[in-house]
Amino acid sequence: MQTSDQLPRIFQANLARLFERVIQPAMHALPVHASLECGEAATMEQFLDRAAAQVDNYTANEAAKAFTLTLAAIFERQLSIWAPAIYRDRAIEMPKSRGFQDFLALCAQQAGIDLEGELGADLSEMFMVANVVRHGEGSSCEKLKTAVPHLWDEAADDYHDLLAGPRIPSEHLRIRTRDLVRYIRATSRFWGLADPLPMAVTDPPYRVEESGGVAGRTSG
């Protein structure tokens, strides 16, 4: 058995363990409030409770963004391992690649994976989000806001940026648990489609339900 044939299943399992044992429990443990109260507080206790709720929601959003960065970095690293293995096993020279998009296209081509639909869109979105989380303002932020405007909700009453000063668009990027579910489904599905071994998992058990909830297995 060639090395490149074994790697997709290993990569998929590693992503699943990270999501089920670390990301999912951490996000579920963070308090999140459906709406935040504003205006003049009647008492100091009420003021402190409102401030705590704002911090809770801000922290949950920061955690989701950090986990997106983690997923994107791991997936990119996996692509950079698999691509050379494919070409090495086939004894052909690998084209030069300059990062995520190049590696993704190269690996998808070798595995016969179509990136034109939802799968490719979610993977590209995840990587753009990761760039915004890493760098803040810049071309990635502008591109993401144009491509995926629903990640910004100017009318939302459940989030307040805690930074002082003028509004910074990258700080109002909202990543929720349902977005993390889309990203883990996309990354694990990619490796399932690339897996040439018997019983490959091409339909991972991670879904966002129509009600807005999250469906999927939990870690044991």
mmCIF file of all heavy atoms in Angstrom, residues 106-148:
data_model
loop_
_atom_site.group_PDB
_atom_site.id
_atom_site.type_symbol
_atom_site.label_atom_id
_atom_site.label_comp_id
_atom_site.label_asym_id
_atom_site.label_seq_id
_atom_site.Cartn_x
_atom_site.Cartn_y
_atom_site.Cartn_z
ATOM 1 N N LEU A 106 -4.224 21.486 -6.361
ATOM 2 C CA LEU A 106 -3.359 20.379 -6.767
ATOM 3 C C LEU A 106 -3.884 19.051 -6.231
ATOM 4 O O LEU A 106 -4.012 18.064 -6.974
ATOM 5 C CB LEU A 106 -1.947 20.630 -6.246
ATOM 6 C CG LEU A 106 -0.815 19.738 -6.772
ATOM 7 C CD1 LEU A 106 -0.616 19.953 -8.258
ATOM 8 C CD2 LEU A 106 0.473 20.047 -6.012
ATOM 9 N N CYS A 107 -4.229 19.019 -4.957
ATOM 10 C CA CYS A 107 -4.713 17.789 -4.336
ATOM 11 C C CYS A 107 -6.088 17.403 -4.876
ATOM 12 O O CYS A 107 -6.366 16.219 -5.097
ATOM 13 C CB CYS A 107 -4.770 17.943 -2.827
ATOM 14 S SG CYS A 107 -3.148 18.065 -2.043
ATOM 15 N N ALA A 108 -6.956 18.384 -5.073
ATOM 16 C CA ALA A 108 -8.289 18.098 -5.607
ATOM 17 C C ALA A 108 -8.187 17.518 -7.009
ATOM 18 O O ALA A 108 -8.916 16.573 -7.365
ATOM 19 C CB ALA A 108 -9.126 19.369 -5.611
ATOM 20 N N GLN A 109 -7.293 18.052 -7.811
ATOM 21 C CA GLN A 109 -7.111 17.549 -9.173
ATOM 22 C C GLN A 109 -6.645 16.095 -9.162
ATOM 23 O O GLN A 109 -7.165 15.262 -9.902
ATOM 24 C CB GLN A 109 -6.109 18.417 -9.918
ATOM 25 C CG GLN A 109 -5.870 17.972 -11.363
ATOM 26 C CD GLN A 109 -4.822 18.835 -12.051
ATOM 27 O OE1 GLN A 109 -3.940 19.388 -11.404
ATOM 28 N NE2 GLN A 109 -4.915 18.955 -13.360
ATOM 29 N N GLN A 110 -5.688 15.790 -8.294
ATOM 30 C CA GLN A 110 -5.160 14.428 -8.236
ATOM 31 C C GLN A 110 -6.199 13.438 -7.717
ATOM 32 O O GLN A 110 -6.207 12.270 -8.100
ATOM 33 C CB GLN A 110 -3.919 14.391 -7.344
ATOM 34 C CG GLN A 110 -2.712 15.121 -7.916
ATOM 35 C CD GLN A 110 -2.270 14.543 -9.258
ATOM 36 O OE1 GLN A 110 -2.205 13.332 -9.439
ATOM 37 N NE2 GLN A 110 -1.971 15.428 -10.200
ATOM 38 N N ALA A 111 -7.112 13.912 -6.841
ATOM 39 C CA ALA A 111 -8.127 13.025 -6.266
ATOM 40 C C ALA A 111 -9.435 13.041 -7.047
ATOM 41 O O ALA A 111 -10.353 12.290 -6.724
ATOM 42 C CB ALA A 111 -8.400 13.436 -4.824
ATOM 43 N N GLY A 112 -9.530 13.899 -8.059
ATOM 44 C CA GLY A 112 -10.759 13.984 -8.844
ATOM 45 C C GLY A 112 -11.912 14.607 -8.070
ATOM 46 O O GLY A 112 -13.068 14.224 -8.241
ATOM 47 N N ILE A 113 -11.597 15.579 -7.208
ATOM 48 C CA ILE A 113 -12.614 16.229 -6.376
ATOM 49 C C ILE A 113 -13.044 17.543 -7.014
ATOM 50 O O ILE A 113 -12.206 18.368 -7.378
ATOM 51 C CB ILE A 113 -12.070 16.494 -4.959
ATOM 52 C CG1 ILE A 113 -11.721 15.170 -4.270
ATOM 53 C CG2 ILE A 113 -13.081 17.267 -4.128
ATOM 54 C CD1 ILE A 113 -11.041 15.349 -2.928
ATOM 55 N N ASP A 114 -14.356 17.738 -7.152
ATOM 56 C CA ASP A 114 -14.907 18.952 -7.737
ATOM 57 C C ASP A 114 -15.012 20.034 -6.662
ATOM 58 O O ASP A 114 -15.709 19.859 -5.662
ATOM 59 C CB ASP A 114 -16.292 18.656 -8.323
ATOM 60 C CG ASP A 114 -16.907 19.873 -9.012
ATOM 61 O OD1 ASP A 114 -16.214 20.904 -9.161
ATOM 62 O OD2 ASP A 114 -18.094 19.794 -9.403
ATOM 63 N N LEU A 115 -14.339 21.144 -6.849
ATOM 64 C CA LEU A 115 -14.356 22.238 -5.880
ATOM 65 C C LEU A 115 -15.260 23.390 -6.305
ATOM 66 O O LEU A 115 -15.231 24.459 -5.686
ATOM 67 C CB LEU A 115 -12.936 22.775 -5.673
ATOM 68 C CG LEU A 115 -11.930 21.813 -5.031
ATOM 69 C CD1 LEU A 115 -10.555 22.466 -4.977
ATOM 70 C CD2 LEU A 115 -12.380 21.390 -3.635
ATOM 71 N N GLU A 116 -16.066 23.174 -7.324
ATOM 72 C CA GLU A 116 -16.896 24.259 -7.835
ATOM 73 C C GLU A 116 -18.115 24.539 -6.978
ATOM 74 O O GLU A 116 -18.682 25.626 -7.018
ATOM 75 C CB GLU A 116 -17.355 23.936 -9.271
ATOM 76 C CG GLU A 116 -16.237 23.955 -10.296
ATOM 77 C CD GLU A 116 -15.563 25.320 -10.377
ATOM 78 O OE1 GLU A 116 -16.291 26.332 -10.355
ATOM 79 O OE2 GLU A 116 -14.329 25.375 -10.447
ATOM 80 N N GLY A 117 -18.551 23.563 -6.171
ATOM 81 C CA GLY A 117 -19.769 23.723 -5.387
ATOM 82 C C GLY A 117 -19.533 24.141 -3.950
ATOM 83 O O GLY A 117 -18.588 24.862 -3.624
ATOM 84 N N GLU A 118 -20.407 23.649 -3.071
ATOM 85 C CA GLU A 118 -20.393 24.020 -1.655
ATOM 86 C C GLU A 118 -19.089 23.641 -0.965
ATOM 87 O O GLU A 118 -18.576 24.392 -0.134
ATOM 88 C CB GLU A 118 -21.569 23.336 -0.957
ATOM 89 C CG GLU A 118 -21.728 23.667 0.503
ATOM 90 C CD GLU A 118 -22.916 22.947 1.114
ATOM 91 O OE1 GLU A 118 -24.052 23.439 0.950
ATOM 92 O OE2 GLU A 118 -22.713 21.889 1.728
ATOM 93 N N LEU A 119 -18.534 22.492 -1.316
ATOM 94 C CA LEU A 119 -17.306 22.029 -0.681
ATOM 95 C C LEU A 119 -16.168 23.029 -0.881
ATOM 96 O O LEU A 119 -15.520 23.465 0.075
ATOM 97 C CB LEU A 119 -16.900 20.662 -1.226
ATOM 98 C CG LEU A 119 -15.549 20.107 -0.753
ATOM 99 C CD1 LEU A 119 -15.552 19.910 0.758
ATOM 100 C CD2 LEU A 119 -15.225 18.801 -1.480
ATOM 101 N N GLY A 120 -15.917 23.397 -2.116
ATOM 102 C CA GLY A 120 -14.850 24.349 -2.404
ATOM 103 C C GLY A 120 -15.109 25.710 -1.795
ATOM 104 O O GLY A 120 -14.186 26.378 -1.308
ATOM 105 N N ALA A 121 -16.385 26.126 -1.793
ATOM 106 C CA ALA A 121 -16.734 27.433 -1.224
ATOM 107 C C ALA A 121 -16.458 27.468 0.274
ATOM 108 O O ALA A 121 -15.916 28.448 0.796
ATOM 109 C CB ALA A 121 -18.205 27.746 -1.498
ATOM 110 N N ASP A 122 -16.818 26.401 0.978
ATOM 111 C CA ASP A 122 -16.602 26.370 2.428
ATOM 112 C C ASP A 122 -15.113 26.315 2.774
ATOM 113 O O ASP A 122 -14.663 26.949 3.733
ATOM 114 C CB ASP A 122 -17.318 25.173 3.046
ATOM 115 C CG ASP A 122 -18.824 25.390 3.175
ATOM 116 O OD1 ASP A 122 -19.266 26.558 3.105
ATOM 117 O OD2 ASP A 122 -19.555 24.403 3.353
ATOM 118 N N LEU A 123 -14.346 25.564 1.997
ATOM 119 C CA LEU A 123 -12.908 25.494 2.263
ATOM 120 C C LEU A 123 -12.234 26.843 2.011
ATOM 121 O O LEU A 123 -11.389 27.282 2.800
ATOM 122 C CB LEU A 123 -12.267 24.409 1.388
ATOM 123 C CG LEU A 123 -12.647 22.965 1.728
ATOM 124 C CD1 LEU A 123 -12.078 22.001 0.688
ATOM 125 C CD2 LEU A 123 -12.158 22.579 3.126
ATOM 126 N N SER A 124 -12.595 27.497 0.929
ATOM 127 C CA SER A 124 -12.018 28.812 0.636
ATOM 128 C C SER A 124 -12.436 29.847 1.674
ATOM 129 O O SER A 124 -11.641 30.679 2.105
ATOM 130 C CB SER A 124 -12.436 29.275 -0.766
ATOM 131 O OG SER A 124 -11.860 28.445 -1.757
ATOM 132 N N GLU A 125 -13.705 29.784 2.093
ATOM 133 C CA GLU A 125 -14.191 30.704 3.127
ATOM 134 C C GLU A 125 -13.413 30.504 4.422
ATOM 135 O O GLU A 125 -12.998 31.483 5.059
ATOM 136 C CB GLU A 125 -15.679 30.464 3.366
ATOM 137 C CG GLU A 125 -16.258 31.311 4.481
ATOM 138 C CD GLU A 125 -17.702 30.955 4.797
ATOM 139 O OE1 GLU A 125 -18.498 30.746 3.847
ATOM 140 O OE2 GLU A 125 -18.044 30.881 5.990
ATOM 141 N N MET A 126 -13.225 29.245 4.815
ATOM 142 C CA MET A 126 -12.483 28.952 6.043
ATOM 143 C C MET A 126 -11.089 29.569 5.998
ATOM 144 O O MET A 126 -10.630 30.169 6.981
ATOM 145 C CB MET A 126 -12.372 27.438 6.239
ATOM 146 C CG MET A 126 -11.517 27.013 7.418
ATOM 147 S SD MET A 126 -11.219 25.217 7.489
ATOM 148 C CE MET A 126 -10.139 25.007 6.038
ATOM 149 N N PHE A 127 -10.432 29.445 4.869
ATOM 150 C CA PHE A 127 -9.071 29.966 4.765
ATOM 151 C C PHE A 127 -9.060 31.491 4.779
ATOM 152 O O PHE A 127 -8.172 32.102 5.389
ATOM 153 C CB PHE A 127 -8.394 29.439 3.500
ATOM 154 C CG PHE A 127 -6.925 29.728 3.461
ATOM 155 C CD1 PHE A 127 -6.050 29.064 4.298
ATOM 156 C CD2 PHE A 127 -6.407 30.686 2.605
ATOM 157 C CE1 PHE A 127 -4.692 29.333 4.290
ATOM 158 C CE2 PHE A 127 -5.055 30.966 2.582
ATOM 159 C CZ PHE A 127 -4.191 30.288 3.421
ATOM 160 N N MET A 128 -10.052 32.117 4.137
ATOM 161 C CA MET A 128 -10.124 33.582 4.176
ATOM 162 C C MET A 128 -10.390 34.075 5.595
ATOM 163 O O MET A 128 -9.816 35.068 6.043
ATOM 164 C CB MET A 128 -11.202 34.086 3.220
ATOM 165 C CG MET A 128 -10.775 34.109 1.764
ATOM 166 S SD MET A 128 -11.932 35.043 0.718
ATOM 167 C CE MET A 128 -13.330 33.927 0.679
ATOM 168 N N VAL A 129 -11.286 33.379 6.306
ATOM 169 C CA VAL A 129 -11.549 33.736 7.695
ATOM 170 C C VAL A 129 -10.264 33.643 8.515
ATOM 171 O O VAL A 129 -9.937 34.527 9.310
ATOM 172 C CB VAL A 129 -12.639 32.829 8.300
ATOM 173 C CG1 VAL A 129 -12.704 33.012 9.821
ATOM 174 C CG2 VAL A 129 -13.993 33.118 7.679
ATOM 175 N N ALA A 130 -9.521 32.558 8.308
ATOM 176 C CA ALA A 130 -8.263 32.370 9.032
ATOM 177 C C ALA A 130 -7.296 33.518 8.756
ATOM 178 O O ALA A 130 -6.611 34.004 9.669
ATOM 179 C CB ALA A 130 -7.623 31.039 8.644
ATOM 180 N N ASN A 131 -7.234 33.980 7.520
ATOM 181 C CA ASN A 131 -6.357 35.105 7.179
ATOM 182 C C ASN A 131 -6.783 36.388 7.884
ATOM 183 O O ASN A 131 -5.944 37.175 8.342
ATOM 184 C CB ASN A 131 -6.337 35.325 5.663
ATOM 185 C CG ASN A 131 -5.259 34.513 4.976
ATOM 186 O OD1 ASN A 131 -4.328 34.034 5.622
ATOM 187 N ND2 ASN A 131 -5.376 34.350 3.675
ATOM 188 N N VAL A 132 -8.103 36.607 7.958
ATOM 189 C CA VAL A 132 -8.604 37.803 8.632
ATOM 190 C C VAL A 132 -8.311 37.727 10.126
ATOM 191 O O VAL A 132 -7.918 38.724 10.750
ATOM 192 C CB VAL A 132 -10.115 37.977 8.385
ATOM 193 C CG1 VAL A 132 -10.662 39.151 9.205
ATOM 194 C CG2 VAL A 132 -10.381 38.214 6.899
ATOM 195 N N VAL A 133 -8.503 36.545 10.710
ATOM 196 C CA VAL A 133 -8.208 36.369 12.133
ATOM 197 C C VAL A 133 -6.728 36.626 12.397
ATOM 198 O O VAL A 133 -6.350 37.239 13.402
ATOM 199 C CB VAL A 133 -8.593 34.945 12.591
ATOM 200 C CG1 VAL A 133 -8.139 34.694 14.035
ATOM 201 C CG2 VAL A 133 -10.098 34.734 12.470
ATOM 202 N N ARG A 134 -5.884 36.180 11.480
ATOM 203 C CA ARG A 134 -4.435 36.313 11.656
ATOM 204 C C ARG A 134 -3.960 37.748 11.434
ATOM 205 O O ARG A 134 -3.126 38.259 12.179
ATOM 206 C CB ARG A 134 -3.714 35.378 10.686
ATOM 207 C CG ARG A 134 -2.188 35.365 10.851
ATOM 208 C CD ARG A 134 -1.532 34.535 9.767
ATOM 209 N NE ARG A 134 -1.845 33.125 9.871
ATOM 210 C CZ ARG A 134 -2.569 32.441 8.975
ATOM 211 N NH1 ARG A 134 -3.054 33.064 7.910
ATOM 212 N NH2 ARG A 134 -2.792 31.173 9.140
ATOM 213 N N HIS A 135 -4.487 38.418 10.408
ATOM 214 C CA HIS A 135 -3.918 39.704 9.989
ATOM 215 C C HIS A 135 -4.818 40.907 10.237
ATOM 216 O O HIS A 135 -4.346 42.046 10.146
ATOM 217 C CB HIS A 135 -3.569 39.653 8.500
ATOM 218 C CG HIS A 135 -2.596 38.580 8.146
ATOM 219 N ND1 HIS A 135 -1.313 38.546 8.632
ATOM 220 C CD2 HIS A 135 -2.735 37.477 7.353
ATOM 221 C CE1 HIS A 135 -0.685 37.485 8.144
ATOM 222 N NE2 HIS A 135 -1.518 36.816 7.380
ATOM 223 N N GLY A 136 -6.097 40.709 10.503
ATOM 224 C CA GLY A 136 -6.999 41.840 10.688
ATOM 225 C C GLY A 136 -7.358 42.503 9.375
ATOM 226 O O GLY A 136 -7.683 41.832 8.395
ATOM 227 N N GLU A 137 -7.250 43.823 9.331
ATOM 228 C CA GLU A 137 -7.639 44.578 8.135
ATOM 229 C C GLU A 137 -6.704 44.279 6.964
ATOM 230 O O GLU A 137 -5.529 43.987 7.152
ATOM 231 C CB GLU A 137 -7.611 46.076 8.422
ATOM 232 C CG GLU A 137 -8.594 46.502 9.492
ATOM 233 C CD GLU A 137 -10.008 46.088 9.165
ATOM 234 O OE1 GLU A 137 -10.607 46.691 8.266
ATOM 235 O OE2 GLU A 137 -10.517 45.161 9.814
ATOM 236 N N GLY A 138 -7.256 44.349 5.755
ATOM 237 C CA GLY A 138 -6.453 44.109 4.561
ATOM 238 C C GLY A 138 -7.284 43.511 3.445
ATOM 239 O O GLY A 138 -8.514 43.468 3.510
ATOM 240 N N SER A 139 -6.619 43.035 2.414
ATOM 241 C CA SER A 139 -7.311 42.523 1.237
ATOM 242 C C SER A 139 -8.159 41.293 1.550
ATOM 243 O O SER A 139 -9.244 41.116 0.978
ATOM 244 C CB SER A 139 -6.292 42.187 0.139
ATOM 245 O OG SER A 139 -5.347 41.229 0.592
ATOM 246 N N SER A 140 -7.686 40.426 2.445
ATOM 247 C CA SER A 140 -8.462 39.224 2.792
ATOM 248 C C SER A 140 -9.778 39.609 3.452
ATOM 249 O O SER A 140 -10.827 39.007 3.180
ATOM 250 C CB SER A 140 -7.661 38.318 3.727
ATOM 251 O OG SER A 140 -6.587 37.711 3.058
ATOM 252 N N CYS A 141 -9.744 40.605 4.317
ATOM 253 C CA CYS A 141 -10.961 41.064 4.982
ATOM 254 C C CYS A 141 -11.948 41.643 3.969
ATOM 255 O O CYS A 141 -13.140 41.336 4.005
ATOM 256 C CB CYS A 141 -10.619 42.096 6.049
ATOM 257 S SG CYS A 141 -12.033 42.648 7.036
ATOM 258 N N GLU A 142 -11.452 42.457 3.064
ATOM 259 C CA GLU A 142 -12.315 43.054 2.048
ATOM 260 C C GLU A 142 -12.906 41.980 1.131
ATOM 261 O O GLU A 142 -14.095 42.022 0.795
ATOM 262 C CB GLU A 142 -11.511 44.067 1.230
ATOM 263 C CG GLU A 142 -11.041 45.266 2.056
ATOM 264 C CD GLU A 142 -10.058 46.135 1.292
ATOM 265 O OE1 GLU A 142 -9.792 45.843 0.108
ATOM 266 O OE2 GLU A 142 -9.545 47.104 1.882
ATOM 267 N N LYS A 143 -12.080 41.011 0.734
ATOM 268 C CA LYS A 143 -12.541 39.938 -0.139
ATOM 269 C C LYS A 143 -13.591 39.084 0.560
ATOM 270 O O LYS A 143 -14.611 38.713 -0.029
ATOM 271 C CB LYS A 143 -11.352 39.076 -0.569
ATOM 272 C CG LYS A 143 -11.705 37.970 -1.549
ATOM 273 C CD LYS A 143 -10.453 37.209 -1.968
ATOM 274 C CE LYS A 143 -10.798 36.080 -2.934
ATOM 275 N NZ LYS A 143 -9.574 35.316 -3.329
ATOM 276 N N LEU A 144 -13.352 38.763 1.826
ATOM 277 C CA LEU A 144 -14.292 37.933 2.580
ATOM 278 C C LEU A 144 -15.619 38.648 2.769
ATOM 279 O O LEU A 144 -16.689 38.039 2.631
ATOM 280 C CB LEU A 144 -13.688 37.572 3.939
ATOM 281 C CG LEU A 144 -14.549 36.696 4.854
ATOM 282 C CD1 LEU A 144 -14.774 35.324 4.232
ATOM 283 C CD2 LEU A 144 -13.899 36.545 6.223
ATOM 284 N N LYS A 145 -15.565 39.927 3.086
ATOM 285 C CA LYS A 145 -16.808 40.674 3.309
ATOM 286 C C LYS A 145 -17.643 40.767 2.039
ATOM 287 O O LYS A 145 -18.872 40.778 2.092
ATOM 288 C CB LYS A 145 -16.482 42.070 3.843
ATOM 289 C CG LYS A 145 -17.688 42.757 4.474
ATOM 290 C CD LYS A 145 -17.307 43.999 5.240
ATOM 291 C CE LYS A 145 -18.536 44.575 5.948
ATOM 292 N NZ LYS A 145 -18.217 45.787 6.725
ATOM 293 N N THR A 146 -16.975 40.820 0.898
ATOM 294 C CA THR A 146 -17.693 40.847 -0.381
ATOM 295 C C THR A 146 -18.272 39.475 -0.714
ATOM 296 O O THR A 146 -19.417 39.356 -1.158
ATOM 297 C CB THR A 146 -16.753 41.295 -1.509
ATOM 298 O OG1 THR A 146 -16.278 42.616 -1.233
ATOM 299 C CG2 THR A 146 -17.462 41.286 -2.853
ATOM 300 N N ALA A 147 -17.475 38.423 -0.478
ATOM 301 C CA ALA A 147 -17.880 37.071 -0.847
ATOM 302 C C ALA A 147 -18.884 36.472 0.129
ATOM 303 O O ALA A 147 -19.796 35.740 -0.273
ATOM 304 C CB ALA A 147 -16.654 36.160 -0.944
ATOM 305 N N VAL A 148 -18.720 36.762 1.420
ATOM 306 C CA VAL A 148 -19.577 36.145 2.450
ATOM 307 C C VAL A 148 -20.086 37.226 3.405
ATOM 308 O O VAL A 148 -19.705 37.258 4.584
ATOM 309 C CB VAL A 148 -18.803 35.053 3.239
ATOM 310 C CG1 VAL A 148 -19.776 34.143 3.970
ATOM 311 C CG2 VAL A 148 -17.898 34.232 2.337
#
